[in-house]
Amino acid sequence: MKIAVVGATGLVGTEMLKVLAERNFPVDELIPVASEKSKGKEIEFKGKKYKVVTPDEAIAQKPDVALFSAGGGTSTEYAPKFAEAGITVVDNSSAWRMDPTKKLVVPEVNAHVLTAEDKIIANPNCSTIQMVVVLKPLHEKYKIKRVVVSTYQSVTGTGVKAVQQLMDERAGKEGEKAYPYTIDLNVIPQIDVFQENGYTKEEMKMIKETNKIMGDDSIRVTATTVRIPVMGGHSEAVNIEFENDFDINDVKTLLAQQSGVVVVDDPANLKYPMPKDAHGKDEVFVGRIRRDESQDNSLNLWVVADNLRKGAATNAVQIAEYLVEKGLV
Ligand SMILES: NC(=O)c1ccc[n+]([C@@H]2O[C@H](COP(=O)([O-])OP(=O)(O)OC[C@H]3O[C@@H](n4cnc5c(N)ncnc54)[C@H](OP(=O)(O)O)[C@@H]3O)[C@@H](O)[C@H]2O)c1
């Protein structure tokens, strides 16, 4: 297959290339795409060198699939042009996620909604992806009424500029800022811009995307999203209230059986998920599994995943794998 990676020089794009190679995705020809400023730059993939091209040049080469991670503006402008040329787009930006005509997909949860007619497929927000993979088996068995989530998100979620800001601050150097405040030795309770209701856009994404992916608007979700000075992945404290009572051992079994989830839950030996351990991995790690003793039918969990892998690149590649496997591209 001919695969275009749009945003190939960015954090997610770089991870995308690694994931394509590691999972042995059937790439016969790679088309790395970035902005005009990177045109001609060489990218190595599976021992071969490829030259970066612009989005227009990529369309002319007619790839089968284009994996986009080049920001909302690029997706809004170019995804329809790729789609019109018959190229299936899997888009990492937020541009198409809430469009009712576009599918929003986490393969372990709702890959079955995909058809050959879907030419622009949206990859959800990183913090939503890792949460819904964990919610899915629990909702099927015990029916979720409400979710309260607080996130502890890695600077890698903001892109190369943010990683550089953290490194500059650690080295005591002046440099470009991705955040309005110092991030090193700090916690910033704002991810993306504020909305009229006082929530941030990231928080509203978690709420709306969860309902869309789970295919159930009755699940009530509230979120507080927070940036912390870590690199390996996003962490989330998730409180879930179910319609029905549950057995805590059954919850652990359901999670251990869920595809894409690894349970790390052994408090006696101080074992729980941490971003430094999730870094570079494709799975979602869950631990600190315990009853919320303040309320009936309620559970507390700690969920960690590498936001650049399962939160972005891996999920997009898994969507492409599903399309290939089912003959939808
Ligand atoms: N980081 C995450 O955890 C995460 C998770 C999910 C989704 N996403 C989404 O993925 C996208 C990229 O994130 P990132 O963290 O990888 O950002 P990044 O490191 O800043 O990379 C941005 C990429 O987009 C390319 N680009 C910018 N303008 C372009 C244009 N006009 N035409 C073609 N390519 C263009 C850049 O190319 P140049 O090098 O030439 O500028 C670069 O390759 C964003 O939409 C983000 O919301 C990120």
Side-chain angles (χ1 to χ4, degrees), residues 7-12 34-35 37-38 55 69-72 74 92-93 97 126 156-157 159-160 307-308 311-312:
T9 53
L11 276 188
V12 177
S35 73
K37 87 166 199 263
S38 305
S69 64
T74 308
N92 253 300
S93 80
R97 289 179 190 152
C126 39
T156 55
V160 277
N307 51 298
L308 295 179

